[in-house]
Structures are given as C-alpha cells and as structure tokens.
Amino acid sequence: MNQSLTPLRRPAAPPDDAELLARSTDTLTGLLTRDTFIEALTRRIADGVGVPRPFALLAIDLDRFKSVNDTLGHPVGDALLRAAGRRMRACIRGGDLAGRIGGDEFAILLPHMATETEATGLAARLVELMARPFLLDGHTVVAGCSIGIAVFPDDAHDSTGLLRCADLALYQAKAEGRGGMRRFVPALRDRADARRQMESELRAAIALGQFELHYQPHVDISSGRVAGFEALLRWRHPARGLVAPGEFIPLAEEIGLMVPIGEWVLRTACREAAAWPDENISVSVNVSAAQLARRDLADQVRAALDAGGLAPRRLELEVTETALLHDTATALDNCRAVRALGVRVSLDDFGTGYSSLTQLRDFPLDRVKIDRSFVLEIENRPDSAAIVRAVAGLGSALGLRTTAEGVETASQLTALRASGCTDAQGFLISRPIPASELAGLLASTRQAETEKVESMA
C-alpha cells in the first residue's frame, strides 16, 4: 500500500545578531533584553569552539541610580536609564551588542575584538561619557558608572562563568571608589569563593555552637581594681582555629547575621557573668547598629537578664557613634528603655566616628570610651594628650566615667591617670581571656591588692 511521505524539515538556523536585535529589545532603553543578550553571548562562545576567537564582555553599573530614584522619583530614574542607553549605543561599533541585564545593570559584547586595548578603550570612553551630567525633566543629574571587563577564553569558557568574571571585576571597581573600570583577574574569583565559603560556614556557626566569648578586664585607675569585663566574640572554627572578630564581623553585618549573633552574645554574657565570684563586677556587651535599630532591643535585654539571672546594674551596653546615627530616634528610644531597666550605656570608640557633643548631651550615657588611637600617641603627640584631657574633663563635668582603651605601657597609664581618666583597658592589664580563666585572674588581682596593703602596713 502506498503511503504519503512527510517531507523532512531542516532545523532552523540560529538567529544572527540582527535578528536578535529586531526580535527582543528592552522597552525602556531599546537595548537587548537580558535573555536575548545572554543568547547572543552563548552563541558567540559556541562559534569559538575548537579555535577560540577572543572577545570581551563589559559589565556596567550606574553608580548613583538608586539615589536618583529615591530622591527624584521613578520617572526621572527611568529617564536616566533611557539616556544612559543612548550614550552606550553612541559608543559602540556596528557589530557590538549592548543589553540591559536588569535594573541599572548593563552589558556590552565586543564579538570582533582584535586586542584587549579595544575593550579598555571603550570602557574608558564610557566612564568619561557617563560622568557627564544628564539633563532629565528639568533636573541636572550626575550618575557616573563603574565597569568590569572579562575576556573569552582567558577568563571563562561559558556564558555563566564569563558574566560572573565581569561582575566580579565590576564589584572591585565599585569597591575602589566607583567611576572606574577593572579587568578581571583570577584573584577576584578566589576571593569571592573564599567569601562564599565563609558566609556558608558563618551561617552554620551559631547552630553548631562554634562561637565563644572571651573577656578583657578594665580597671579603676585610682584603685587598680578590676571594675568589669568587656565580652568579646570569638569564632572557634573547626579548621582555622580561633578566628578574630575583625575577620568575620564585617561579613556578618553585610549578610544580616548581626542580630542573631548579637542576641547570642547578650544571652551568653549574662549567663556567664552571673556565675562570676564577685557580684560587684560588671560585664559590657557591644551592640551593633542593626540591633540598635530594632524596637524590641529592651525586650531582648530583659529576656537575657532574666534567663541568665544577672542583676541589671551589672550589665553595660556599648554602642558606637556611627550606630547612633543610623536611626537616631530609635537609638535614643532604645537607650532610654534599657536605662529604665537599670542597665548602663557607654559610648564606644569615641573620637573616631562622627564625634558630636549633642550625643553626649542627648543620649542617656554612663561612660565614654576613648579610642585606642589617642592612647597610643598620648606620650608623643601633644594634640592627642590634649584631646584625652578634654574628653576626660568633659566626662567628669557630665557625670560620666571615661575609659581609655588600648593601654599597653605603664607610662601610658600614668599619663591617663594625670589626664583624669577613671578607667583603663588594654594589654597592660590583660589580654582577652576565656571565661574559664576569669576566676583565676580575679583571684590573682585580689592577692596582689592584699600584698600591696600588707606592704604598706
């Protein structure tokens, strides 16, 4: 029996760049959409299989787009995106492709690059052009841009990898001050991989019980007695050992972990301090800007005190000048609320941030901690010595105790005593110690006091 045969269909040829451009463009800027741009990038990589032909990818980000959007409104923000797209089209050659990847993120593909100089030259022109003011709906707007450059096949062999390399170079350009361009180097990928690994481990550290507190004493300068301890966070990493806070706190702040970490520190410090042999010794806990901005801070403090069985008078919360500025009204309410519980408040690192006398006047403070940078130079720089004296005098007039941080030598302690500081903290007194060693330190200081009294008898 005869049967009709269905003719075979030839597979459709992949679209060329002109077809892509005509088929899918961003309605706001007229540039390629993200999907279309990545399709073109993927096809360009496939064309280079076997005998790779180098080409460049530029990742572009407008530096001040969010500020424009927030202050002038979305219509002006949209106008800025349209104007930026026009400037990009004016810079590229006929065979180059420009796309809007999302928000204020753009990308340019140079598929026929002869040398890397072409890519860096285009990037330099774009940086210069985008730095020029835009006139948008009666507003003069200065936006600027940062650019990251990646090259196929040197940096990556697929579209995902190449986009990531260009983005990493872009992030580096923005980190270095914006308004510039950076070429991708492998060290950026290594650093990003290490950061991602640390982020993953940091998120698990609380659940795995890897955090612990060390305590550094501060002494009353006039008597030499230990007046209290500052709780300092440490990370007991299973492979890296004891990790100092400077290595992970900035990352924790960036990824939003400071609130749960801060709550753990507060609860642990209250519980451990309640077991100390001397009920007159206080414990101070650092409060992050994220915690200070939460309206339930006083509730968290009350819960930690109750759970640990610690008297409120023995707890002191340390806040920084910068943290007070994030949300001044909420910070002020929180400081008043914890003071109402009987908890003391101290201003940490005074002199290094936005030092303001209004903070000393308006916030309910009990102590000012003078930053170690002034203590370090108190003997060598008359201006540092004068600042320490002035802060100590101001603290005395306002009824505040003044603690000098970073005291390392006996001569510094003598100078601080002469300047009127009430307390001292630093390696001269003791390095931070684990909770298990605290009772021994207190016993040794009491023995030293006893021997001193007996020798004077």
Side-chain angles (χ1 to χ4, degrees):
M1 185 172 64
N2 292 333
Q3 295 180 347
S4 59
L5 300 178
T6 302
L8 296 176
R9 293 182 179 178
R10 293 183 179 180
D16 58 20
D17 292 343
E19 290 178 282
L20 287 171
L21 185 60
R23 191 179 68 191
S24 185
T25 56
D26 175 57
T27 56
L28 184 62
T29 64
L31 304 179
L32 294 180
T33 63
R34 174 187 177 86
D35 290 344
T36 309
F37 184 89
I38 292 177
E39 183 180 345
L41 173 61
T42 302
R43 184 165 51 80
R44 181 63 186 82
I45 291 174
D47 290 343
V49 173
V51 184
R53 292 181 295 168
F55 66 86
L57 173 67
L58 275 60
I60 306 161
D61 192 56
L62 300 184
D63 290 332
R64 299 174 187 86
F65 175 74
K66 184 178 185 304
S67 175
V68 172
N69 236 8
D70 291 346
T71 58
L72 300 179
H74 293 290
V76 177
D78 289 347
L80 174 58
L81 293 174
R82 285 192 293 268
R86 288 193 294 271
R87 291 189 183 184
M88 288 181 199
R89 285 197 300 272
C91 276
I92 62 177
R93 301 169 302 186
D96 300 335
L97 298 176
R100 182 185 175 205
I101 304 303
D104 63 331
E105 301 171 12
F106 300 85
I108 292 178
L109 177 63
L110 280 66
H112 308 297
M113 179 187 73
T115 66
E116 283 192 28
T117 304
E118 295 179 16
T120 56
L122 173 59
R125 291 195 301 276
L126 279 169
V127 168
E128 189 276 330
L129 192 59
M130 291 296 181
R132 298 177 186 176
F134 293 86
L135 183 59
L136 307 171
D137 298 341
H139 301 279
T140 300
V141 174
V142 178
C145 75
S146 299
I147 300 177
I149 305 171
V151 174
F152 174 87
D154 296 351
D155 301 328
H157 295 84
D158 58 66
S159 58
T160 300
L162 199 63
L163 283 165
R164 183 182 182 227
C165 291
D167 280 341
L168 290 173
L170 168 63
Y171 300 152
Q172 185 63 24
K174 294 180 80 71
E176 293 176 358
R178 305 185 178 189
M181 60 179 180
R182 287 294 174 268
R183 168 74 163 86
F184 172 80
V185 292
L188 296 178
R189 181 165 48 210
D190 296 341
R191 192 184 311 157
D193 290 344
R195 182 189 183 281
R196 187 171 61 251
Q197 177 68 21
M198 178 174 279
E199 178 180 338
S200 175
E201 294 170 348
L202 189 56
R203 291 185 183 280
I206 299 179
L208 296 176
Q210 294 175 353
F211 288 129
E212 61 186 61
L213 295 182
H214 286 201
Y215 295 91
Q216 186 174 37
H218 61 88
V219 299
D220 181 294
I221 292 180
S222 62
S223 67
R225 294 178 180 176
V226 174
F229 289 85
E230 179 181 358
L232 300 169
L233 182 64
R234 298 292 186 267
W235 179 11
R236 183 75 64 176
H237 192 280
R240 301 172 189 166
L242 203 61
V243 183
E247 298 182 44
F248 66 89
I249 288 297
L251 177 59
E253 291 175 336
E254 185 178 338
I255 62 178
L257 287 182
M258 280 313 301
V259 169
I261 291 176
E263 291 176 357
W264 180 90
V265 171
L266 183 61
R267 292 194 306 269
T268 304
C270 288
R271 185 184 70 251
E272 293 182 344
W276 294 348
D278 190 335
E279 294 185 357
N280 293 315
I281 292 179
S282 65
V283 61
S284 58
V285 174
N286 292 280
V287 176
S288 68
Q291 290 174 278
L292 199 59
R294 293 174 62 97
R295 297 191 176 276
D296 61 348
L297 177 61
D299 294 334
Q300 294 175 12
V301 172
R302 183 187 296 106
L305 290 168
D306 292 343
L310 185 71
R313 63 179 177 80
R314 295 183 59 195
L315 177 62
E316 187 169 304
L317 300 184
E318 297 190 10
V319 298
T320 64
E321 299 169 298
T322 304
L324 295 179
L325 295 176
H326 278 248
D327 184 345
T328 302
T330 302
L332 181 57
D333 289 343
N334 277 327
C335 288
R336 288 171 175 166
V338 296
R339 279 285 300 276
L341 297 175
V343 174
R344 289 173 291 175
V345 179
S346 65
L347 186 59
D348 196 15
D349 298 333
F350 187 75
T352 60
Y354 301 91
S355 301
S356 171
L357 296 181
T358 59
Q359 291 179 342
L360 298 181
R361 182 194 65 188
D362 296 342
F363 280 83
L365 301 173
D366 299 277
R367 183 189 306 273
V368 174
K369 301 188 74 173
I370 302 172
D371 187 71
R372 65 183 63 247
S373 61
F374 298 104
V375 176
L376 180 65
E377 298 177 328
I378 192 171
E379 298 175 278
N380 303 319
R381 292 186 55 170
D383 51 359
S384 289
I387 289 172
V388 171
R389 286 195 303 272
V391 175
L394 187 58
S396 177
L398 294 173
L400 309 176
R401 297 190 69 85
T402 49
T403 300
E405 299 182 286
V407 183
E408 298 182 357
T409 67
S411 57
Q412 289 174 348
L413 184 60
T414 299
L416 292 167
R417 181 183 292 111
S419 298
C421 291
T422 61
D423 296 78
Q425 178 179 343
F427 287 176
L428 176 67
I429 292 94
S430 171
R431 292 177 177 271
I433 59 174
S436 59
E437 299 178 16
L438 190 142
L441 184 144
L442 289 175
S444 64
T445 56
R446 283 197 299 267
Q447 179 64 29
E449 289 174 11
T450 301
E451 294 174 355
K452 181 179 179 181
V453 171
E454 291 177 348
S455 67
M456 297 172 62

